[in-house]
Amino acid sequence: MTKPQPLWRSFLVFLVPMFLSNVLQALFGTLNNIYLGQMIGVNALAAVSVFFPIMFFFIAFIMGLSSGATVLIGQAYGAKDLVKVKTVAGVALTLALIGGSMIAVATPFARAMMVALATPADILDDATLYAQIMMVTMPATFVFVLATSISRGVSDTMSPLLALVLSTVIGLALTPALIAGWFGLPQFGVASAAVAALVSSVATLIALGFYLRARRHPLAPDAELLRHMRVDPQVARMVMRLGLPAAVQIAAMALAELVLLGLVNGFGSDATAAYGAVNQVMSYVQFPAISIAITASIFAAQAIGRGDLDRLSHITRTGLALNLVLTGGLAALAYALSRLIIEMFITSAPVIELAQQLLHMVLWSMVVFGMSGVFTAIMRASGTVFMPMALSICAIFAIEVPTAQILSRTIGVEGVWIAYPVTFCATFLLQAGFYLLVWRKRPIVRMV
């Protein structure tokens, strides 16, 4: 009999493609912005940026839906109930199509949204056009995000990675071609990135469908999946009950970030530039932490589906240990190369010094952030979502925002950045405390 591989190795095999997918998505957005800024101008970049807050809330919804569906699919897959896997996938895809279609139908209100966001008059038309096309693409975008996410529930992280590679290649080739009108293509100007996103999403979904069918994948689009493409009230309620708290938590984090950005802006453009550079670095250091949390959630969901509840503690310990090694290792590398990294974004010497100082203050806390995410992920896998969400939101609005406001007034812009590690540590203590003192004593049962 073949000896099963150690859990940490299974974690790595699962999360490395996911980590690469996160990096790829980040690079795609960065390069698209470079295209717009360099080939059209700063106004084009500004017009696209106006839509970002709205887009974030749209994505928060689909990420929440994906989170709930992936947990249920993971439990069903762990129980080897492939019919239930298809049922949950069909219902989730239907909800994604409904949500995306509702946004697409609201396209005529795009201009009013841009006006409500106080979009400057000189970019209002371009911002409106970009918003309209992005809203029309939402059904395809939602299905693409959901399809690549729920594949992980059946232990497949390579298909999402391959899909993202294809989507990125198409998008990055098509955006400049549509901007410049290469190969006889029409010129779409500012809307080029939105049109490219639509084409790449649809083309990749079609290719992904054929690929999954060829592999006889558990989530391949076939007649059985189509039969389950409906709103089953019971399954839909479970998906939404698990997914909405995650969406609310993402939205709360976004709102808090806007408050903190407002505080930083009050210290002038140098502080804002440093904020942007440090956030870029932090986002990449967060990727392994996020990937480990997702892996822990899926492994835990599958263990619950199998009825192997003793496995949950081992999964938790492995996730915590890998955060120390992987997230901690990446943070240590960022410390060692901090000046070189900051100089990639900023050329002003005083701003480089400020950004490096702020980065050194917060980098270490990414490890704590990741460890907190492991506890939340394990509890989410069992269906416990409301209390972890409440604890996180409490930490954001009762600790992070007040700490940033008070310290920014007393010690300057550094006070805003101190709020991050303070909040991450508080969240870790709250989540770990609830996990150890309450959640572990509760009975855990499979939901599907």
Side-chain angles (χ1 to χ4, degrees):
M1 183 180 293
T2 305
K3 184 179 179 180
Q5 65 180 356
L7 184 57
W8 66 266
R9 191 171 296 169
S10 299
F11 256 82
L12 289 178
V13 170
F14 194 90
L15 69 85
V16 167
M18 200 186 322
F19 170 76
L20 294 176
S21 298
N22 288 332
V23 172
L24 201 60
Q25 285 180 305
L27 287 175
F28 178 62
T30 301
L31 291 175
N32 255 341
N33 286 340
I34 291 173
Y35 281 148
L36 291 170
Q38 294 295 324
M39 297 181 71
I40 302 179
V42 68
N43 277 4
L45 192 57
V48 170
S49 299
V50 171
F51 186 68
F52 179 77
I54 297 174
M55 184 68 178
F56 191 93
F57 282 98
F58 291 163
I59 294 300
F61 166 78
I62 192 59
M63 291 303 295
L65 182 66
S66 300
S67 173
T70 302
V71 166
L72 293 175
I73 287 172
Q75 288 195 6
Y77 188 72
K80 302 187 185 307
D81 187 346
L82 297 185
V83 174
K84 188 64 72 174
V85 167
K86 293 276 191 181
T87 301
V88 176
V91 171
L93 287 167
T94 303
L95 292 174
L97 280 171
I98 292 173
S101 299
M102 290 173 64
I103 295 170
V105 169
T107 298
F109 300 101
R111 190 176 187 87
M113 292 180 189
M114 296 300 99
V115 171
L117 289 171
T119 304
D122 59 336
I123 62 170
L124 179 58
D125 289 341
D126 283 342
T128 299
L129 177 61
Y130 180 82
Q132 287 170 338
I133 296 177
M134 287 300 294
M135 291 172 72
V136 168
T137 69
M138 281 302 114
T141 300
F142 276 18
V143 171
F144 179 77
V145 172
L146 182 69
T148 52
S149 296
I150 62 177
S151 291
R152 295 165 182 152
V154 295
S155 296
D156 176 20
T157 54
M158 282 306 300
S159 295
L161 175 59
L162 293 174
L164 282 165
V165 169
L166 178 60
S167 175
T168 300
V169 169
I170 294 172
L172 291 181
L174 197 54
T175 298
L178 292 175
I179 291 174
W182 296 339
F183 314 116
L185 292 172
Q187 291 180 273
F188 282 92
V190 171
S192 297
V195 174
L198 173 61
V199 173
S200 64
S201 293
V202 173
T204 303
L205 277 173
I206 294 171
L208 181 62
F210 282 111
Y211 176 76
L212 295 180
R213 285 178 67 89
R215 288 186 57 206
R216 300 180 182 273
H217 194 278
L219 293 173
D222 54 18
E224 186 179 355
L225 181 62
L226 287 175
R227 282 198 301 272
H228 293 294
M229 288 282 291
R230 57 191 176 85
V231 181
D232 181 313
Q234 183 180 2
V235 176
R237 278 196 299 271
M238 284 193 292
V239 171
M240 297 303 288
R241 187 181 74 82
L242 292 173
L244 282 179
V248 170
Q249 187 173 332
I250 293 170
M253 291 169 64
L255 288 173
E257 201 62 34
L258 288 174
V259 174
L260 267 59
L261 176 58
L263 294 175
V264 171
N265 287 342
F267 290 94
S269 58
D270 283 359
T272 304
Y275 171 89
V278 173
N279 264 1
Q280 284 280 332
V281 180
M282 284 175 61
S283 67
Y284 282 94
V285 176
Q286 282 178 347
F287 286 156
I290 293 170
S291 299
I292 291 167
I294 294 172
T295 303
S297 178
I298 292 169
F299 280 21
Q302 292 178 355
I304 292 169
R306 292 191 303 269
D308 187 7
L309 301 184
D310 293 338
R311 187 77 162 168
L312 297 180
S313 295
H314 192 191
I315 294 170
T316 305
R317 290 194 300 270
T318 303
L320 295 174
L322 285 176
N323 257 296
L324 286 172
V325 175
L326 298 181
T327 310
L330 191 56
L333 183 63
Y335 271 114
L337 302 177
S338 60
R339 188 171 188 87
L340 181 63
I341 295 170
I342 293 297
E343 287 175 346
M344 293 170 61
F345 301 98
I346 299 171
T347 56
S348 169
V351 182
I352 290 172
E353 292 296 332
L354 175 61
Q356 189 175 17
Q357 176 190 353
L358 298 176
L359 187 63
H360 287 179
M361 291 171 60
V362 76
L363 259 180
W364 65 270
S365 65
M366 292 295 97
V367 178
V368 184
F369 165 83
M371 295 174 75
S372 173
V374 170
F375 287 119
T376 305
I378 297 293
M379 291 187 285
R380 184 189 304 121
S382 72
T384 301
V385 288
F386 289 101
M387 184 54 72
M389 175 200 71
L391 294 175
S392 293
I393 292 177
C394 177
I396 290 169
F397 291 109
I399 298 174
E400 182 177 31
V401 173
T403 299
Q405 290 174 328
I406 293 169
L407 293 183
S408 65
R409 295 192 193 106
T410 55
I411 64 175
V413 70
E414 293 86 355
V416 177
W417 291 95
I418 291 174
Y420 285 106
V422 168
T423 306
F424 293 153
C425 290
T427 304
F428 170 75
L429 292 174
L430 289 170
Q431 300 290 5
F434 184 76
Y435 171 90
L436 294 169
L437 301 176
V438 180
W439 181 83
R440 284 206 308 178
K441 300 175 182 179
R442 291 179 172 176
I444 298 172
V445 295
R446 179 159 63 97
M447 291 177 285
V448 292

